[in-house]
Amino acid sequence: SSQPFFHGRLAMSDDYIFPSNPLVGSDDAAPAPEVAAAMAAAAGPPGPDVGAEVASSAAADGAAEAGEGRSMEVRGIAGNLVATLQVKPGQTAAEIKALVAEAGGPPIGSQRLASQGGKLLAGREEVFKHVGEDSLLTLVVVPSIEEQGTDLAMRKGWQPSESVPWLIVHRGFIHDTPCSDLGVQDFRILMMHVPRARFEAGYYVHIRGQSAYISEHHVAKEKICQAWDDFVEVYDPKPTDNAVDLYSRFLDISRWKEYDAWK
């Protein structure tokens, strides 16, 4: 039987919503506010500026070294202690997940981290900004994408990829199925398969405005999928949403563009 897929509602506060979207140029239509908000919380501004990324990383490292950090407990929803970590200022939810996995916890892809207030933390969010003096995070363990994909395909009678048995591909325009036809839980599972299926079909992603034929301009599959998974965690789908359109808007706001090998 399928296991519930944990979901935390994205708080639509001023911390998340762009008054004007800084990631979208004048030649782009701004995405819906809730999409921009979730993408901002999940993926941040990835952008093509490598120098800026290096500077940002160095600044974060400096802040971590300057800060003393503190001990933080990660507990399961039943209150069981999963890990006690020494967390430094500037460390993100994605980094904490990696530490939990290293400490013997579940794989990164099966972890969801929430603050004591119930807010689900996206991958690039700084943990210290959302954890109180109790220094406690709640870990929710969810089925892996492989388990979820296999289960969903069996329940819906969908034929998965022949080469990747758990991967839900776009055969029969499955990825266009609206949220209202699936329900939020199953729709969110389907969303996670979209970029993976498109890479499997031969699509690539490159930095928008740069040549698609130069490998240095390509964006790694792992980076795309991690940013997308972070977005899926915090986005509240609407009944009319379909996963293909959301993925297209996700690429636009990230300044990425998809192409295929046959063009």
Side-chain angles (χ1 to χ4, degrees), residues 81 98 104 116 121 144 149 166 171 188 199 229 241 243-244 251:
L81 180 64
Q116 282 300 93
L121 303 183
S144 67
W166 55 267
R171 186 179 290 113
R188 192 172 280 109
F199 276 107
D229 290 352
D241 281 341
V244 174
L251 293 177

Side-chain angles (χ1 to χ4, degrees), residues 227-248:
W228 175 250
D229 290 352
D230 287 344
F231 165 62
V232 172
E233 281 188 32
V234 298
Y235 179 64
D236 267 331
K238 299 192 295 295
T240 56
D241 281 341
N242 82 64
V244 174
D245 286 347
L246 286 175
Y247 182 60
S248 177

Side-chain angles (χ1 to χ4, degrees), residues 44-60:
D49 190 345
V50 176
E53 284 195 6
V54 172
S56 176
S57 176

Side-chain angles (χ1 to χ4, degrees), residues 36-247:
M39 289 177 181
D49 190 345
V50 176
E53 284 195 6
V54 172
S56 176
S57 176
D61 290 344
E65 291 176 2
E68 297 180 357
R70 64 179 188 236
S71 179
M72 186 173 295
E73 289 187 349
V74 179
R75 291 185 175 271
I77 55 177
N80 55 302
L81 180 64
V82 178
T84 301
L85 308 172
Q86 191 66 24
V87 180
K88 298 178 180 179
Q91 285 192 299
T92 64
E95 292 172 318
I96 301 305
K97 289 180 182 180
L99 293 176
V100 170
E102 290 175 6
I108 294 173
S110 293
Q111 297 182 38
R112 301 292 182 268
L113 293 176
S115 67
Q116 282 300 93
K119 182 188 183 304
L120 196 64
L121 303 183
R124 293 194 181 186
E125 288 189 288
E126 293 184 18
V127 172
F128 271 19
K129 293 182 178 180
H130 302 284
V131 176
E133 295 181 358
D134 54 4
S135 296
L136 180 64
L137 284 172
T138 298
L139 172 68
V140 181
V141 181
V142 301
S144 67
I145 186 173
E146 294 85 356
E147 293 170 325
Q148 293 177 29
T150 300
D151 174 72
L152 182 58
M154 289 180 61
R155 286 190 286 110
K156 297 297 181 182
W158 294 338
Q159 184 178 353
S161 166
E162 295 175 359
S163 57
V164 186
W166 55 267
L167 183 62
I168 299 173
V169 294
H170 198 30
R171 186 179 290 113
F173 301 100
I174 288 173
H175 294 172
D176 287 329
T177 306
C179 179
S180 58
D181 287 2
L182 293 175
V184 171
Q185 175 177 317
D186 285 346
F187 182 74
R188 192 172 280 109
I189 294 172
L190 179 63
M191 286 176 68
M192 295 180 70
H193 288 254
V194 171
R196 293 167 171 87
R198 296 183 76 82
F199 276 107
E200 181 70 16
Y203 288 88
Y204 297 83
V205 173
H206 66 94
I207 299 168
R208 193 172 69 231
Q210 303 294 324
S211 172
Y213 303 102
I214 300 177
S215 60
E216 287 81 1
H217 298 160
H218 294 181
V219 184
K221 172 184 176 181
E222 293 76 17
K223 181 174 183 177
I224 297 288
C225 290
Q226 183 58 63
W228 175 250
D229 290 352
D230 287 344
F231 165 62
V232 172
E233 281 188 32
V234 298
Y235 179 64
D236 267 331
K238 299 192 295 295
T240 56
D241 281 341
N242 82 64
V244 174
D245 286 347
L246 286 175
Y247 182 60

